[in-house]
Amino acid sequence: MAATKISDISWFHDFPPFFTLQPNLDTRRKQLDAWCSLLLEYCRLKKVCTFDVNDASKFPPFFNGKINRQLDNNFIQILLEELRSRGNIEWEDKNKRRCLIFWNSLEEWAKTVYQWITSRGMNRTVCTFYELLHGDDTRSADFHDIDPKLFRRILNELEKHGQATVFSENGADGVKFL
């Protein structure tokens, strides 16, 4: 993992006004763009695929002890709605408390997984979700150790395009790549 600290991802995380929702609409648009980029990059680097609003105060990008700043709940809700409108999150519940995070689109993820499969000559093979998500062979793959719910969505995308068949057998989830 190249960057391990938020300050390695973004210089503006140490800029106090970054934590206050800006009243000027042009400035606010740039601020939201910067926040979205920061959050998606952080999630990509840390492989964060789910977010629970109840844990927002513990989510590292949302606070900076160095400058004694933290996003308030209203700003967090505005930011999450912005990410949803861009297709980067999907709510898992009606109360909008828990969401899946897509730092790549489902289509991009599906392409990544399918390219990995075809580059290894694994078309027409059957694999378990476990071996794909946690196996030694996938350690260097971008999808290694991602959230199983997100992985299922990726495989469903491949199935939709006729590149895979997803199934469950004896309590184990599997996929046959076509």
Side-chain angles (χ1 to χ4, degrees):
M1 200 174 300
T4 55
K5 297 183 294 188
I6 295 171
S7 59
D8 292 338
I9 302 170
S10 166
W11 66 268
F12 42 80
H13 194 258
D14 289 340
F15 185 56
F18 188 55
F19 286 82
T20 303
L21 191 61
Q22 297 301 304
N24 178 286
L25 293 180
D26 290 335
T27 305
R28 182 182 295 188
R29 171 66 26 225
K30 291 175 186 169
Q31 179 186 34
L32 289 174
D33 288 345
W35 266 109
C36 288
S37 294
L38 168 65
L39 290 173
L40 294 173
E41 182 63 7
Y42 177 85
C43 290
R44 184 186 69 78
L45 290 170
K46 300 292 185 178
K47 292 197 174 185
V48 175
C49 301
T50 59
F51 179 74
D52 190 322
V53 175
N54 297 323
D55 297 331
S57 64
K58 300 175 200 155
F59 193 56
F62 290 161
F63 64 87
N64 186 332
K66 181 175 156 185
I67 60 171
N68 196 27
R69 291 288 193 269
Q70 181 171 345
L71 288 185
D72 65 28
N73 289 337
N74 181 54
F75 196 158
I76 292 169
Q77 289 300 323
I78 290 169
L79 186 54
L80 292 173
E81 178 53 30
E82 179 67 22
L83 287 165
R84 188 210 55 78
S85 72
R86 295 176 180 204
N88 294 116
I89 70 164
E90 186 176 280
W91 293 110
E92 291 186 318
D93 64 330
K94 291 178 183 177
N95 295 327
K96 297 183 179 181
R97 305 307 296 166
R98 189 165 170 77
C99 62
L100 279 175
I101 301 169
F102 304 109
W103 63 85
N104 288 331
S105 69
L106 284 175
E107 190 173 289
E108 291 168 328
W109 271 119
K111 183 178 178 182
T112 297
V113 171
Y114 199 70
Q115 284 176 342
W116 188 89
I117 290 297
T118 56
S119 71
R120 284 157 182 76
M122 295 175 63
N123 298 75
R124 291 179 289 288
T125 61
V126 174
C127 301
T128 66
F129 279 28
Y130 184 86
E131 72 182 301
L132 291 168
L133 284 174
H134 309 295
D136 290 338
D137 292 341
T138 64
R139 280 200 193 284
S140 63
D142 290 342
F143 56 87
H144 183 80
D145 279 341
I146 65 168
D147 186 271
K149 287 182 219 166
L150 175 57
F151 193 63
R152 178 174 285 284
R153 294 289 308 280
I154 295 165
L155 294 178
N156 288 343
E157 186 74 13
L158 285 170
E159 190 171 42
K160 185 171 89 177
H161 294 288
Q163 297 172 312
T165 302
V166 179
F167 62 90
S168 288
E169 193 171 296
N170 298 327
D173 292 326
V175 60
K176 179 177 181 181
F177 293 99
L178 306 172

